[in-house]
Amino acid sequence: MASSSRALTRLAGPQLAPRAQMQVPAARAASRIASITTTSSARKFAAPSARLPRTQQSQILSRQFRRTYADSAPAAPVKKRKVRVFRWLWRLTYLSVLGSIGYVVYDGYVARHPEDQFVPDPNKKTLVILGTGWGSVALLKKLDTENYNVVVISPRNYFLFTPLLPSCTTGQIEHRSIMEPVRQILRHKKAAVKYYEAEATQIDHARKVIKITDNSEIKGTITENEVPYDMLVIGVGAENATFGIPGVRDHSCFLKEIRDAQAIRTKIMDCVETAAFKDQATEEIDRLLHMVVVGGGPTGVEFAGELRDFFDDDIKKLIPDIADRFKVTLIEALPNVLPMFSKQLIDYTESTFKEEHIEIKTKTMVKKVTDKSVEAVITHPDGSKETVTIPYGLLVWATGNALRPIVKDLMSQIPAQKDSRRGLAVNEYMVVQGTRDIWAVGDCAVAGYAPTAQVASQEGAFLAGLFNNMAKTEALENKIRELSSNLNLKPGNTAEITQEIETVEKRLRRTRDVKPFHYSHQGSLAYIGSEKAVADVAWLNGNVASGGKLTYFFWRSAYLSMCFSTRNRVLVSLDWIKAKIYGRDVSRE
């Protein structure tokens, strides 16, 4: 006992107190008892494998924790993935909406707060542009007005997006949504441009002056004047051709200007309300509700489709008593409608018109028009001809172009134009043949292409590049003359000036290298009613022909993108939404 106490004292060290030394054996005994009790209870309640020898336990554990591989990857949580996709779509949607709203607001601010303009040098050449159609506006849009004194003359102080004009006749689109004021366009040019709301009545080619007349209802003290020019661009378009058929100009409606669309809209509702008048005769109702369209081109086809939609979607719901008597007839002198489209799309259009109960009379020539009927000659497949009388309430003439008087007068002054019949003959640079300082674009020019808005727009853009290059060429030539005159003024600088002259001459050769105009056909579009459209679009080395409801959405997006400004796009979009929600407006005015 004494030896064990001495051993404990040696282990504990001198720090242990005598009392602590006495408590060590008791504490050690208690810990041994507790460990024995715990071990026995753990063995009692442990798993069977825990009571096995250690070698067997390791084998069991290795089998339990062995890495295994599944036959396929675990399925991802579908709900979480869908939620994540919708979350990103929602973010993309509202960010796009916010971005679009911000862009529209910014564009409106820029339109309302244009930068200051400066007056061009009066010593520069005067460039006069006649008309505010597709060709003239495309020229103005890309022309650098700093290089010339630009003057625009037109009786129409706005640009009209003509492809959507048929939609204005039925209230699908308001007419001001497809109009862009010319002064709004000119105000955003760097150099100021003069505009005269007048009609050019005569061009004196020898004196290089243009006679203009104020044809507005309110006139000042000066109603006629002359405008001199150094360079002239004629973009006055064409008139409606009647082909000398009696009664066409007196009794039919045309579809070229805003006032034409307004007149057609008024007459449509006049026919409808008169047909609904009390105790109206059945034959008279049938006549009033028979709408005849002459011309199977895109304008005539789109107007017929819009007219059918107007009655099916709106008039039939508001005046169901007479709606079933409504009828649309399309007259075309050629063997088929839409001759510029592929055969596949022509057949699709004709079958769609048949479903919509729009009658197509091809190989039919109008011979006479009265206030209530059309006399026409139909050529049957066997070659026989039949004269028919077609009663109508509304007649729309949507075919043919004729020369304006100012173009005819100019052609009579130029000997090189004596053989031209359809307009001013131009060369590959749009220069009027027989002149050096007159160019022509659009329907008044004969360049070997179809008279369409697409052709006129590309011609105007080509002329803008040509005029910009001409101004650069003149500036470079003046610089070469100036350098050449200073060549021997300062001793020792001959080599330096000579090198600069060579550099300017290289730039001059590149600037003069202007390729002739070449039309690039982007495709043809036409709306055929019932929210269907046809498209013949150029793609790579061929064309893609399509038709149906998906093409209708493409037609809308294409026309929307071709609108002149963001303002027009917003207004047209709002008109489409309004018509879809509330229907077309059936008021007379």
Side-chain angles (χ1 to χ4, degrees), residues 175-473:
H175 65 277
R176 293 199 176 275
S177 299
I178 59 174
M179 297 164 59
E180 183 71 16
V182 171
R183 293 192 179 276
Q184 185 77 9
I185 301 171
L186 302 180
R187 184 62 184 84
H188 288 80
K189 305 300 292 184
K190 291 184 178 179
V193 178
K194 291 182 180 179
Y195 169 73
Y196 300 126
E197 187 184 66
E199 183 178 357
T201 56
Q202 187 180 12
I203 299 173
D204 193 334
H205 172 53
R207 297 173 51 224
K208 299 182 69 170
V209 295
I210 305 166
K211 184 179 179 181
I212 62 174
T213 304
D214 183 7
N215 291 332
S216 61
E217 296 181 0
I218 300 176
K219 297 179 175 59
T221 56
I222 300 176
T223 57
E224 293 184 355
N225 210 326
E226 289 184 347
V227 178
Y229 69 86
D230 297 310
M231 306 163 66
L232 175 63
V233 177
I234 303 174
V236 295
E239 291 182 345
N240 296 283
T242 62
F243 306 103
I245 301 172
V248 172
R249 196 165 295 278
D250 297 329
H251 304 295
S252 62
C253 296
F254 300 106
L255 193 52
K256 268 187 174 295
E257 302 290 343
I258 282 293
R259 58 178 178 271
D260 297 333
Q262 293 172 328
I264 291 173
R265 176 181 174 85
T266 300
K267 199 160 186 178
I268 290 173
M269 294 314 302
D270 280 346
C271 290
V272 171
E273 297 297 348
T274 304
F277 199 76
K278 186 177 183 297
D279 298 331
Q280 192 71 263
T282 304
E283 296 79 6
E284 188 66 9
I285 294 175
D286 292 337
R287 182 189 71 82
L288 290 168
L289 295 182
H290 187 194
M291 311 295 172
V292 177
V293 184
V294 180
T299 301
V301 168
E302 288 189 349
F303 174 70
E306 292 280 3
L307 202 56
R308 185 78 248 184
D309 289 348
F310 183 37
F311 272 79
D312 290 344
D313 298 341
D314 299 281
I315 298 297
K316 185 178 289 188
K317 298 175 182 178
L318 299 176
I319 316 177
D321 299 339
I322 63 172
D324 294 337
R325 298 179 179 272
F326 178 73
K327 183 180 179 182
V328 179
T329 299
L330 183 65
I331 297 177
E332 172 56 45
L334 297 177
N336 49 259
V337 298
L338 299 177
M340 69 288 299
F341 285 77
S342 63
K343 184 65 169 58
Q344 175 187 357
L345 295 181
I346 292 173
D347 295 339
Y348 179 77
T349 301
E350 292 178 350
S351 64
T352 302
F353 272 18
K354 188 175 181 180
E355 295 174 0
E356 296 173 352
H357 305 289
I358 299 176
E359 185 180 2
I360 301 177
K361 292 183 179 293
T362 55
K363 295 184 179 181
T364 304
M365 295 288 294
V366 176
K367 296 299 182 181
K368 184 181 178 181
V369 175
T370 65
D371 59 340
K372 293 184 179 181
S373 64
V374 174
E375 294 182 11
V377 177
I378 302 176
T379 303
H380 295 288
D382 58 357
S384 61
K385 296 184 178 182
E386 178 188 1
T387 302
V388 296
T389 301
I390 305 172
Y392 70 87
L394 170 68
L395 173 64
V396 175
W397 195 268
T399 181
N401 289 328
L403 298 177
R404 294 191 182 274
I406 185 174
V407 177
K408 292 181 180 178
D409 181 72
L410 179 61
M411 292 171 63
S412 65
Q413 301 177 37
I414 304 173
Q417 299 287 329
K418 64 179 181 179
D419 296 330
S420 183
R421 295 290 181 268
R422 296 185 295 110
L424 292 165
V426 298
N427 63 10
E428 65 273 19
Y429 293 97
M430 309 310 297
V431 179
V432 176
Q433 294 181 4
T435 68
R436 294 175 55 89
D437 45 24
I438 300 178
W439 292 260
V441 294
D443 295 350
C444 65
V446 180
Y449 304 106
T452 62
Q454 191 176 164
V455 172
S457 180
Q458 292 187 26
E459 290 174 346
F462 169 80
L463 276 190
L466 180 66
F467 290 153
N468 292 338
N469 274 4
M470 290 171 60
K472 292 178 182 177
T473 300

Side-chain angles (χ1 to χ4, degrees), residues 525-526 532-535 546-556:
L525 300 170
K532 296 179 182 179
V534 291
S546 65
K549 291 188 177 295
L550 289 178
T551 310
Y552 165 72
F553 292 109
F554 173 73
W555 171 83
R556 278 200 166 184

Side-chain angles (χ1 to χ4, degrees), residues 2-244:
S3 63
S4 62
S5 299
R6 285 195 298 268
L8 284 174
T9 305
R10 239 186 270 116
L11 289 173
Q15 293 86 359
L16 291 177
R19 187 172 180 174
Q21 293 177 4
M22 295 175 62
Q23 290 177 352
V24 168
R28 182 172 296 176
S31 64
R32 288 189 62 185
I33 294 173
S35 63
I36 293 172
T37 306
T38 304
T39 302
S40 61
S41 61
R43 287 179 179 177
K44 182 178 179 180
F45 295 103
S49 60
R51 295 194 296 268
L52 294 175
R54 289 186 177 180
T55 56
Q56 295 182 7
Q57 288 182 11
S58 61
Q59 293 176 359
I60 293 174
L61 289 175
S62 63
R63 287 198 300 268
Q64 288 179 350
F65 294 100
R66 183 179 301 166
R67 180 176 294 178
T68 58
Y69 297 92
D71 296 334
S72 60
V78 179
K79 291 185 178 180
K80 290 185 177 180
R81 183 181 299 175
K82 288 183 178 180
V83 170
R84 191 180 298 113
V85 170
F86 282 115
R87 185 182 301 160
W88 279 107
L89 286 176
W90 166 246
R91 290 175 181 175
L92 181 63
T93 301
Y94 78 73
L95 286 176
S96 301
V97 171
L98 290 177
S100 301
I101 294 174
Y103 175 75
V104 170
V105 172
Y106 172 76
D107 184 79
Y109 176 83
V110 172
R112 295 293 299 276
H113 301 83
E115 297 180 357
D116 294 335
Q117 293 179 312
F118 66 89
V119 179
D121 185 359
N123 295 323
K124 291 184 177 181
K125 292 182 179 180
T126 299
L127 171 61
V128 177
I129 302 173
L130 302 182
T132 52
W134 283 89
S136 301
V137 170
L139 166 60
L140 286 169
K141 193 174 183 180
K142 296 189 176 181
L143 178 66
D144 188 356
T145 57
E146 301 177 35
N147 300 320
Y148 304 95
N149 291 297
V150 183
V151 179
V152 180
I153 301 172
S154 175
R156 191 179 72 182
N157 70 343
Y158 56 87
F159 166 73
L160 178 64
F161 189 76
T162 50
L164 289 177
L165 197 57
S167 299
C168 295
T169 60
T170 59
Q172 179 78 8
I173 293 176
E174 295 299 327
H175 65 277
R176 293 199 176 275
S177 299
I178 59 174
M179 297 164 59
E180 183 71 16
V182 171
R183 293 192 179 276
Q184 185 77 9
I185 301 171
L186 302 180
R187 184 62 184 84
H188 288 80
K189 305 300 292 184
K190 291 184 178 179
V193 178
K194 291 182 180 179
Y195 169 73
Y196 300 126
E197 187 184 66
E199 183 178 357
T201 56
Q202 187 180 12
I203 299 173
D204 193 334
H205 172 53
R207 297 173 51 224
K208 299 182 69 170
V209 295
I210 305 166
K211 184 179 179 181
I212 62 174
T213 304
D214 183 7
N215 291 332
S216 61
E217 296 181 0
I218 300 176
K219 297 179 175 59
T221 56
I222 300 176
T223 57
E224 293 184 355
N225 210 326
E226 289 184 347
V227 178
Y229 69 86
D230 297 310
M231 306 163 66
L232 175 63
V233 177
I234 303 174
V236 295
E239 291 182 345
N240 296 283
T242 62
F243 306 103

